[in-house]
Amino acid sequence: MSLLKEIQHTVQQVAEAISAVLQIETEIVDNEMTIIAGTGKYKDMINMKEEEGQVEAGYLYGRVIRTNQPFFVEDARNDPSYDPSVLTGGTEELAEVCAPIHYDGAVIGVIGLIAFDEIQRRSLLMNKLVLLTYLQRMSELLTSKISEQAALNKWIKTTQKLEVLIGSIHEGIIAIDEHGIITNCNETAEQLVQMDKQQLINTPIEQIWPNSPMLEVIQTGKGYIQQEEHYQLDQHDMHLIVTARPILIQDEVVGVVATFRRMADARRLAYELTSEQKDLFFTEIYGQSRALSLVKKQAEQVARGTSNILITGQSGTGKGMMAAAIHSASNRRTGPFIIVNCGAIPETLLESELFGYVSGAFTGARREGKAGKFELADGGTIFLDEIGDLPLHLQVKLLHVLQSKQVERVGSNRLIPVDIRVISATNKDLEEMVRTKEFREDLFFRLNVIPLYMPPLSERTEDIPVLMDYFLEKYSQMSEHSPLTFSPAVRRAFSSYHWPGNVRELENAIEYSVNMTMSSYIDMDSILPRIRNACSASQPVTAETDEQSLKNMLLDHEKQILIEMLKKYGHGLEAKRLIAAKLDIGLATLYRKIDVHQLTIDENMT
């Protein structure tokens, strides 16, 4: 784009000033031969093209631009190099002096003084050197204006980029001057403070954040990082994490810029960055028994609600998995899922872990204080495992949180609102504990709004084979073991065992067996001795049962081999011929064995 065009108004003022002083017409064109400014007849030609719009057309201004030299034409009407049309009498001008306009090492235009009568012509002839110098000074004036405009354009562009950058930041930003007056803010700050930018600008920071440490930064010149701050504006509670830095010019504080976000958002971000808890869904709770299906259906039904849930059942039945699945199916799935084992945390630490503490609350407390688990769960779900182990004095404080949805940190009297759903779990009889005064009755009813019971394996024995196959595949892959299968004797032993540790014990038993087996199947010698001994005690081994077990073991092993081969090569005729060749048996024998084991195409082999 033409640089002279950007300052066209200024260029026109310069042209008119020159003509007023010298009493001679002035014309200024750019390097594209467009008339940018002019007086007399040239004023009516502004924005039109001069010299046919061609630098190479052989006219005067084109030569000035090409050669970067000034020119003086004494007799324009008889000089073809001035205007080829002189040969036909088409030129009105008598004389002209013109000079190039330079910027950044290039010619960006031409400024010319034109005589239309003898008085003007004689003035040009008598003062041509002075006028050339004058034109050079005017050229410098124009280029200085261009430099100013370029600097202004750059500043505007930089400012706009900065505004976009500040506006795109997810944290709130507020700037104050040396008097504590707000000078700027971004859209996030408007949302967090709940005031429009027009309301915030020129408002003392003290009015929205009373006793803000930002005012100390003005006095000391020392900023601070990630400091917890709490403000109340009308009915709006602001619990923030703030970083403030001074603006220094020649070591003098001229303002402060603060970035801030809601404490709840900061905690959620910290949770997302540090938590390894993966989403867990109801489909990952394996089992097809009526007892398990019933509790899963109940859990799915109540998951989208907000009521508190109490999950009871023996240790190892999957209460924690059920709680995680409820959270993943709830409207709070995008929020944190905080797990607290009330029986695993020492009683002396449990209160500060649950409710947090402020600076100086006790010896060894962090200087900046610490948020508790309830604050960390804000916007999500908190799972209180082993709730029956919660001490009585903390039961009172937990009851207050459930009733008021507010948390009071240790050492503080400030109430912090929290938006949480509570899921608790226990393997204890809480109703009996209520009768013996070991558990508060009012807390029990608060927690037990929706009771869910996780059945033990002894009440869902039909799920044992399903879980066995799932855990076998899981630990076979983890240990990079070749495909494994259970012997019929092991399946019978596992199905008859009472499993006091429930699913957790079953999983551990299969992990043990996968690590202990030396062959492609798990037999009685590979399982835990206590399970083997329990099976032996309940069913004495005879020669007949041994013979039958061996036969079943061989058949089961044969079936697994065929399943793996059909998975690998397929069910087509050519695939079966290949399988028969690899097994060194006839095709008819292969078909017979497939029929014996009922390995049809629709059997689940994928």
Side-chain angles (χ1 to χ4, degrees):
M1 181 178 177
S2 169
L3 295 176
L4 290 170
K5 184 74 172 177
E6 290 187 25
I7 60 166
Q8 187 170 23
H9 180 70
T10 301
V11 177
Q12 179 61 27
Q13 288 180 326
V14 170
E16 290 175 354
I18 293 172
S19 291
V21 172
L22 300 180
Q23 294 298 306
I24 196 168
E25 304 304 339
T26 306
E27 182 183 20
I28 301 175
V29 301
D30 64 11
N31 56 341
E32 298 173 353
M33 304 308 291
T34 300
I35 300 173
I36 302 299
T39 60
K41 77 165 190 173
Y42 301 110
K43 188 171 184 178
D44 297 329
M45 298 170 62
I46 290 175
N47 295 324
M48 297 174 63
K49 290 293 184 180
E50 183 64 277
E51 299 184 359
E52 300 177 2
Q54 301 293 323
V55 174
E56 304 290 338
Y59 295 88
L60 176 64
Y61 289 168
R63 289 204 310 277
V64 174
I65 292 173
R66 291 197 309 274
T67 62
N68 190 19
Q69 294 293 326
F71 281 88
F72 185 81
V73 179
E74 297 183 4
D75 187 3
R77 292 184 178 179
N78 296 301
D79 189 348
S81 65
Y82 175 74
D83 184 346
S85 64
V86 298
L87 298 176
T88 59
T91 299
E92 299 179 41
E93 297 89 339
L94 295 179
E96 181 169 353
V97 58
C98 57
I101 303 171
H102 303 97
Y103 180 75
D104 200 20
V107 178
I108 62 168
V110 179
I111 180 169
L113 300 176
I114 305 99
F116 283 91
D117 57 39
E118 282 299 326
I119 296 174
Q120 291 176 338
R121 179 173 176 274
R122 283 196 298 271
S123 177
L124 288 182
L125 292 175
M126 292 174 59
N127 302 290
K128 60 181 180 180
L129 294 179
V130 174
L131 291 175
L132 278 175
T133 303
Y134 181 71
L135 289 182
Q136 289 171 353
R137 295 294 178 265
M138 292 298 101
S139 172
E140 291 169 2
L141 173 62
L142 291 175
T143 53
S144 69
K145 291 295 183 181
I146 291 174
S147 297
E148 290 176 11
Q149 185 64 42
L152 177 61
N153 292 342
K154 185 176 181 181
W155 178 81
I156 292 173
K157 186 181 294 185
T158 301
T159 302
Q160 290 174 339
K161 287 181 179 178
L162 187 59
E163 289 288 343
V164 172
L165 177 63
I166 292 173
S168 65
I169 293 174
H170 294 302
E171 289 187 326
I173 297 178
I174 279 183
I176 62 174
D177 62 17
E178 66 270 29
H179 304 295
I181 306 299
I182 298 173
T183 58
N184 205 350
C185 69
N186 67 349
E187 185 177 342
T188 306
E190 295 180 72
Q191 296 169 356
L192 294 177
V193 179
Q194 294 187 5
M195 289 178 66
D196 293 336
K197 187 172 184 177
Q198 291 79 4
Q199 295 175 287
L200 288 171
I201 300 299
N202 297 322
T203 299
I205 190 70
E206 185 78 10
Q207 287 188 16
I208 63 165
W209 291 350
N211 302 315
S212 169
M214 290 176 68
L215 298 173
E216 295 181 16
V217 177
I218 295 175
Q219 301 299 323
T220 64
K222 296 180 180 179
Y224 56 88
I225 299 174
Q226 301 290 313
Q227 182 168 297
E228 188 176 353
E229 298 176 18
H230 205 130
Y231 303 104
Q232 189 82 27
L233 183 63
D234 297 328
Q235 300 301 315
H236 175 43
D237 183 81
M238 290 176 279
H239 191 187
L240 308 171
I241 188 82
V242 184
T243 293
R245 302 182 187 279
I247 304 171
L248 299 173
I249 296 180
Q250 295 180 348
D251 296 329
E252 182 179 349
V253 179
V254 297
V256 180
V257 173
T259 60
F260 58 98
R261 64 174 64 190
R262 290 195 318 132
M263 176 61 78
D265 295 335
R267 289 194 297 262
R268 185 176 293 110
L269 178 60
Y271 170 80
E272 291 172 354
L273 293 175
T274 58
S275 174
E276 296 182 0
Q277 183 74 26
K278 74 176 189 68
D279 291 336
L280 192 144
F281 304 97
F282 289 113
T283 54
E284 298 174 68
I285 301 177
Y286 293 99
Q288 302 169 348
S289 64
R290 185 177 182 280
L292 182 65
S293 298
L294 178 61
V295 69
K296 284 172 64 175
K297 184 177 180 180
Q298 292 173 338
E300 289 183 47
Q301 183 175 343
V302 302
R304 297 187 183 279
T306 58
S307 301
N308 296 333
I309 297 173
L310 176 63
I311 306 174
T312 57
Q314 297 178 11
S315 293
T317 51
K319 298 187 293 294
M321 291 184 66
M322 182 62 73
I326 291 172
H327 171 73
S328 296
S330 74
N331 296 328
R332 296 171 173 267
R333 68 181 71 88
T334 57
F337 179 64
I338 302 296
I339 301 173
V340 181
N341 191 318
C342 300
I345 302 174
E347 185 175 335
T348 54
L349 299 177
L350 187 55
E351 181 177 15
S352 61
E353 282 295 312
L354 282 173
F355 307 106
Y357 57 83
V358 295
S359 175
F362 51 83
T363 303
R366 291 181 182 175
R367 182 177 60 83
E368 66 275 18
K370 180 184 177 183
K373 299 297 186 182
F374 283 101
E375 288 184 63
L376 294 177
D378 188 33
T381 304
I382 186 167
F383 174 49
L384 302 177
D385 200 8
E386 306 298 347
I387 189 66
D389 294 330
L390 190 68
L392 276 169
H393 73 281
L394 294 184
Q395 292 180 25
V396 178
K397 203 163 183 178
L398 173 58
L399 180 63
H400 173 74
V401 173
L402 296 179
Q403 290 174 334
S404 67
K405 299 295 184 182
Q406 293 177 315
V407 173
E408 185 177 319
R409 290 188 183 181
V410 177
S412 172
N413 58 5
R414 183 189 296 274
L415 294 176
I416 301 172
V418 289
D419 173 24
I420 55 172
R421 186 186 198 181
V422 177
I423 301 177
S424 49
T426 183
N427 60 359
K428 295 183 177 181
D429 187 346
L430 288 188
E431 293 187 58
E432 178 61 28
M433 292 180 68
V434 168
R435 282 192 290 271
T436 58
K437 306 299 182 182
E438 297 175 87
F439 201 87
R440 291 182 61 96
E441 183 179 30
D442 46 6
L443 177 60
F444 172 72
F445 289 124
R446 279 283 180 181
L447 295 172
N448 195 37
V449 177
I450 299 176
L452 296 176
Y453 170 69
M454 290 297 292
L457 272 181
S458 59
E459 295 179 12
R460 43 183 285 223
T461 54
E462 59 267 49
D463 289 338
I464 293 176
V466 177
L467 293 169
M468 287 176 66
D469 291 335
Y470 169 72
F471 291 132
L472 180 64
E473 182 179 0
K474 173 182 175 180
Y475 288 106
S476 296
Q477 292 177 355
M478 288 176 61
S479 61
E480 298 182 356
H481 205 292
S482 57
L484 290 170
T485 186
F486 295 105
S487 72
V490 170
R491 288 191 179 276
R492 288 195 298 273
F494 275 39
S495 294
S496 61
Y497 183 63
H498 60 291
W499 298 109
N502 294 292
V503 179
R504 185 184 295 119
E505 184 185 7
L506 175 61
E507 180 176 2
N508 292 342
I510 292 174
E511 184 179 5
Y512 171 88
S513 300
V514 169
N515 283 280
M516 295 302 295
T517 187
M518 301 296 292
S519 63
S520 59
Y521 62 91
I522 294 174
D523 57 16
M524 293 294 289
D525 291 332
S526 303
I527 67 175
L528 284 164
R530 69 172 182 273
I531 301 176
R532 185 168 60 247
N533 295 338
C535 180
S536 299
S538 62
Q539 181 181 356
V541 180
T542 64
E544 183 178 352
T545 58
D546 275 352
E547 180 181 350
Q548 182 64 30
S549 296
L550 177 60
K551 180 180 178 182
N552 287 338
M553 286 167 55
L554 291 173
L555 286 172
D556 193 60
H557 191 50
E558 180 180 81
K559 180 179 179 179
Q560 291 302 317
I561 290 173
L562 292 174
I563 288 174
E564 293 301 322
M565 296 292 271
L566 289 168
K567 278 184 183 179
K568 184 174 182 180
Y569 297 106
H571 293 263
L573 178 59
E574 291 303 320
K576 289 175 180 174
R577 284 175 177 166
L578 179 59
I579 293 170
K582 286 184 176 291
L583 296 176
D584 197 21
I585 59 176
L587 184 60
T589 302
L590 176 63
Y591 273 103
R592 179 175 56 79
K593 290 182 178 293
I594 289 174
D595 290 338
V596 167
H597 294 295
Q598 298 181 346
L599 300 180
T600 58
I601 292 178
D602 25 338
E603 183 167 343
N604 182 19
M605 297 181 186
T606 59

